[in-house]
Amino acid sequence: MPADLSLAEARRIALAAQGFDRPRPARVTTDHLRRVIRRLGLLQVDYVNVLAPAQYQVPFSRLGPYDRSRLDALVYRRREFTEQWAHEASIIPVETWPLLRHRMAAHRPRPWGIERVFEAHPEYCQWVLAEIRARGPLTAGDLPVPPGAPRRIPGAWHGSVPRAILENHFGRGVLAIANRLPNFARAYDLAASIIPPNHYARQVSPREADRELVRLAARAHGIATASDLADYYRMPAAATRAAIADLVSSGELRPVQVETWRETAYLHAQARLPQRIHAAALLSPFDPIVWTRQRAARLFAFDYRIEIWVPRERRKWGYYVLPFLLGDKLVARVDLKANRAAGTLEVPAAYLEPGAPPKTAAAALNRELQSMAHWLGLRAARVAF
């Protein structure tokens, strides 16, 4: 590839790296799902259930309708993947777990200040681990509240003291996620019982681990700036720059210039530049294509934010808005809601991006809405621009 790339070329490289350069399979198998997660390096976990949890939407965007129980089995029964903090809470390959060990060792529970709960109940924190050793996987609902503590923690996302303590043990790598219940609750077990022994025992230096994480991020991006690569696994800038220098030296990354980009871009040695991208996909707000808002703006001239936490009267686009990818461009944004009681996939609002062809975009979007509705067991509304 040339040292100077057009913006259109950078878009096609990025979309190919994310798996949008190939047709969807006629029937999605477990192996398709396995390849998607390994290609991306991780799936961000988010259980906002207005449509479907984010970790299910991301494979759908690339593969089309599939049996979601296959993904659950792959992660929680086959043990090829596990959960850990990576790009926020994420599903990762089990071999990535030891690359995050140095971050687990430095884990600080959130929100800041919740450590006071653990400091107030040190015996209970150890008792929780003893209970799991004795009884096997447990949820927060299986555990009593420590004596003298309230069950609920005001202002904390954990909701309860038992869950906060379980989450802290999980963040530190002492516990891992054994299962997700139908109500999405986590069942926690000892990490040594969940992570395969060869990966659990593997020791990796922080420098080596950071280099491997940047290598994974670079492969998943195809082409990226240093800040893009740092954000993928939420790494410090200095560690990312050191890893980039190593990978440039080894020839795995090559500095290039992209039209209109101010920062140097880094091209992965295995990146592909297809002549065209034929994708048509609704993207989760937590999809790697758009989760770094500055990158979405740079690649697609797409100004995007999630407005879930914005008061209704101040929202510009809607509550749960999905970008719509057509070819190599984001041509629309669609506010979606799964009305399960009525059995419909509702479209409270839909907006065409400047310069996008209305009829072509509407026809492709309606086909994708029908496909998504079928996947969710719903009937889809239609959209016209």
Side-chain angles (χ1 to χ4, degrees), residues 234-276:
R234 296 290 165 87
M235 295 176 57
T240 303
R241 286 195 297 269
I244 289 172
D246 288 348
L247 295 173
V248 168
S249 178
S250 69
E252 294 177 73
L253 293 182
R254 180 161 65 97
V256 296
Q257 295 298 315
V258 176
E259 175 191 10
T260 74
W261 288 18
R262 294 181 180 180
E263 294 182 61
T264 298
Y266 296 93
L267 182 70
H268 191 270
Q270 296 175 1
R272 294 182 58 254
L273 174 55
Q275 291 188 343
R276 293 191 65 186

Side-chain angles (χ1 to χ4, degrees), residues 213-235:
L213 290 173
V214 171
R215 178 183 286 117
L216 293 171
R219 187 186 65 189
H221 276 305
I223 189 167
T225 65
S227 58
D228 295 336
L229 295 173
D231 185 70
Y232 207 77
Y233 286 95
R234 296 290 165 87
M235 295 176 57

Side-chain angles (χ1 to χ4, degrees), residues 4 28 57 66 103 105 111 136-137 153 173 192 199 210 215 242 250 255 264 268 287 307 317 331 343 347:
D4 295 308
V28 178
Q57 290 183 52
Y66 68 95
R103 289 162 50 163
I153 306 174
H199 298 302
D210 288 339
R215 178 183 286 117
S250 69
T264 298
H268 191 270
D287 193 293
E307 297 183 292
W317 306 108
V331 299
V347 186

Side-chain angles (χ1 to χ4, degrees), residues 20 58 79 84 87 112 128 133 149 156-157 167 190 202 216 223 232 234 251 260 269 277 279 313 324 376 385:
F20 287 106
V58 172
R79 304 290 193 223
Q84 188 47 250
H87 181 96
W112 311 134
V128 166
R133 287 190 192 97
W157 61 269
E167 284 290 327
L190 298 174
R202 184 185 172 201
L216 293 171
I223 189 167
Y232 207 77
R234 296 290 165 87
T260 74
I277 296 288
E313 65 275 8
F324 180 54
L376 297 173
F385 294 116

Side-chain angles (χ1 to χ4, degrees), residues 10-192:
R11 274 200 305 270
R12 297 201 302 274
I13 291 169
L15 289 167
Q18 285 280 311
F20 287 106
D21 61 334
R22 60 202 63 201
R24 290 173 170 175
R27 177 178 172 273
V28 178
T29 66
T30 298
D31 198 46
H32 288 116
L33 292 168
R34 179 184 292 114
R35 287 200 296 267
V36 163
I37 307 175
R38 292 194 179 281
R39 172 185 287 272
L40 302 186
L42 53 81
L43 294 178
Q44 184 175 347
V45 175
D46 190 275
Y47 275 95
V48 173
N49 204 26
V50 177
L51 189 62
Q55 63 270 28
Y56 297 113
Q57 290 183 52
V58 172
F60 172 85
S61 297
R62 290 146 179 82
L63 301 173
Y66 68 95
D67 182 350
R68 281 174 284 176
S69 68
R70 287 182 181 272
L71 183 60
D72 294 335
L74 195 56
V75 176
Y76 303 111
R77 278 165 283 292
R78 289 176 178 256
R79 304 290 193 223
E80 296 180 39
F81 301 89
T82 190
E83 293 188 33
Q84 188 47 250
W85 291 99
H87 181 96
E88 300 299 325
S90 303
I91 291 168
I92 58 171
V94 289
E95 61 267 26
T96 302
W97 191 89
L99 304 179
L100 301 170
R101 193 193 299 270
H102 65 296
R103 289 162 50 163
M104 299 177 213
H107 173 75
R108 285 200 60 193
R110 293 181 284 180
W112 311 134
I114 201 168
E115 296 100 323
R116 290 192 293 269
V117 174
F118 316 135
E119 292 165 0
H121 305 283
E123 298 86 359
Y124 180 84
C125 293
Q126 294 307 309
W127 176 84
V128 166
L129 296 179
E131 283 292 288
I132 291 174
R133 287 190 192 97
R135 297 167 56 188
L138 297 176
T139 68
D142 294 325
L143 297 170
V145 178
R151 184 159 193 94
R152 312 297 296 179
I153 306 174
W157 61 269
H158 312 85
S160 71
V161 170
R163 186 181 174 195
I165 289 170
L166 288 166
E167 284 290 327
N168 185 50
H169 286 314
F170 165 73
R172 291 171 48 237
V174 178
L175 297 179
I177 307 305
N179 196 13
R180 286 274 187 173
L181 277 58
N183 65 355
F184 306 141
R186 285 168 151 182
Y188 301 78
D189 200 355
L190 298 174

